[in-house]
Amino acid sequence: MNKFSLWSKDFIFLCIANFFYFGSFYLILPILPQYVVELGGTPSQIGLVTGYFTLASVVLRPYLGKYADEHGRKRVMLFGVGFFALLFVVYSQVQEVIPLYILRILHGVAHGAFIAACFAYVAELAPVERRGEVLGVFGVSNVVAMALFPAWGIAIIKSTGNFAALFTLSFAIAAAAFLAVAFVKEVKPQVKKAKAESIFVVARQRAVWVASLTLFAAATTYGAIITFLPVYAPERGISNFGVFFSTYAGFTLISRVVAGKLSDRFGRRAVIIPFMCLVAIAVFFFPLLYDSYLLMFIGGCFGLGIGAFMPALSAYVVDETAPKDRGSALAFFTAFMDLGITAGSVVLGLVGGYLGYDSMFVIGGIIVVMGILLFAIGTRTSYSAHGRTE
């Protein structure tokens, strides 16, 4: 572990795999609502298509993480990304919305498997003294995919209207991720005769549930922003709301690389709490929005905050969890990102519908502040520089 390098074969192929995996994911994400409409679906069915995917991924992810703890990360990653790729072949054969529900459930299972095993693999690979840095750099592959592939998918549908071609391209990209995973070696927890705890025991560990709820608080506001900003910004006279996402992506890339090292040097709390405060400040600025420059400022603050605290928070979970339980812990933890995004889209969306979007963002900011307080209080006595010894 002391000889780890960011240029090592396994880490490079894992970053490539993550980039292509999320590339295939993001390529179809923005056009799925159109596809549901193409099949004759209703707005409520669009929500169900998204909801079933999230539900399957969230419910099964901790169990898949536990399986990865016991049987190895690579085989679970291969199953997840391989199954994910093959399901794209079926999409173009669907003629009605109901079969699409089943397909999205299966895709959610595959997604849960890959995410659970991939995060555990990186955590196992990273030396304890560089864990924040490694998780931050690894996360860049996801951010770059998010910056590139949704726009590509939208452009394909706008120019051709050919959903089948898009699904075929998604299959090819996911297949590239599968090949990249095939080149990494298997990694299992470096412990002997240690029985992994049950998922419920792992979830009850204070470090795990505190970090998970902290992530949930930030993800809730993220879900509200990505869902309702395209509606909110034009209401404030800003048609070019895309500047938020481009600024957000750029600052997220910067902070993921830089802040990970900071958390290794100064401790996780020293990064997580200040940068979550930056997220809260960004959200509280939305009701004051009046031009594109302020929107770019908000996007920069939000990107810096999210990009910095997420790898540090992930590293905190790894620090405080025994190696034999890390797959389960990270699977449980990352599931709260999906839950938070869904809650932001649905629950805060209802708030926005009844009280207005300004009130929605204020409440979103309050939720982030509650997350900050929870983490500050919940980790005050348990936190150590790098958590458990390896």
Side-chain angles (χ1 to χ4, degrees), residues 240-265:
N240 184 26
F241 56 84
V243 296
F244 170 87
F245 296 103
S246 57
T247 307
Y248 164 79
F251 278 88
T252 300
L253 286 173
I254 295 170
S255 61
R256 276 190 176 270
V257 174
V258 175
K261 293 182 179 180
L262 293 178
S263 76
D264 289 330
R265 183 176 180 182

Side-chain angles (χ1 to χ4, degrees), residues 203 205-216 313 316 332-333 371 374-379:
Q205 294 176 17
R206 183 169 63 170
V208 175
W209 65 259
V210 167
S212 298
L213 291 177
T214 302
L215 178 62
F216 177 83
L313 192 61
Y316 169 78
F332 183 83
F333 166 74
L374 171 66
F375 185 81
I377 296 169
T379 63

Side-chain angles (χ1 to χ4, degrees), residues 45-192:
Q45 288 177 315
I46 293 174
L48 287 173
V49 165
T50 302
Y52 284 137
F53 176 90
T54 302
L55 180 65
S57 176
V58 166
V59 170
L60 294 178
R61 195 180 302 178
Y63 297 95
L64 293 164
K66 188 174 188 299
Y67 186 89
D69 280 336
E70 296 172 347
H71 301 284
R73 324 296 193 196
K74 181 178 177 178
R75 68 170 63 184
V76 179
M77 279 195 292
L78 285 172
F79 163 76
V81 70
F83 194 32
F84 198 80
L86 289 174
L87 288 170
F88 281 118
V89 179
V90 186
Y91 270 76
S92 58
Q93 307 302 316
V94 171
Q95 302 296 322
E96 298 177 357
V97 176
I98 301 301
L100 187 61
Y101 292 160
I102 300 172
L103 193 55
R104 292 299 287 170
I105 290 172
L106 294 175
H107 237 163
V109 173
H111 184 67
F114 179 80
I115 296 299
C118 192
F119 268 83
Y121 191 108
V122 178
E124 202 69 33
L125 199 63
V128 61
E129 70 278 4
R130 297 181 62 190
R131 191 168 282 152
E133 175 193 3
V134 173
L135 288 169
V137 172
F138 175 73
V140 169
S141 58
N142 187 337
V143 176
V144 174
M146 181 175 64
L148 298 177
F149 285 91
W152 191 14
I154 292 170
I156 290 172
I157 294 303
K158 278 188 176 181
S159 60
T160 68
N162 191 337
F163 288 98
L166 190 67
F167 295 137
T168 301
L169 180 59
S170 296
F171 163 77
I173 294 170
F178 180 89
L179 290 175
V181 173
F183 281 101
V184 304
K185 66 182 180 182
E186 181 61 279
V187 170
K188 295 182 180 180
Q190 300 299 312
V191 289
K192 297 180 179 179

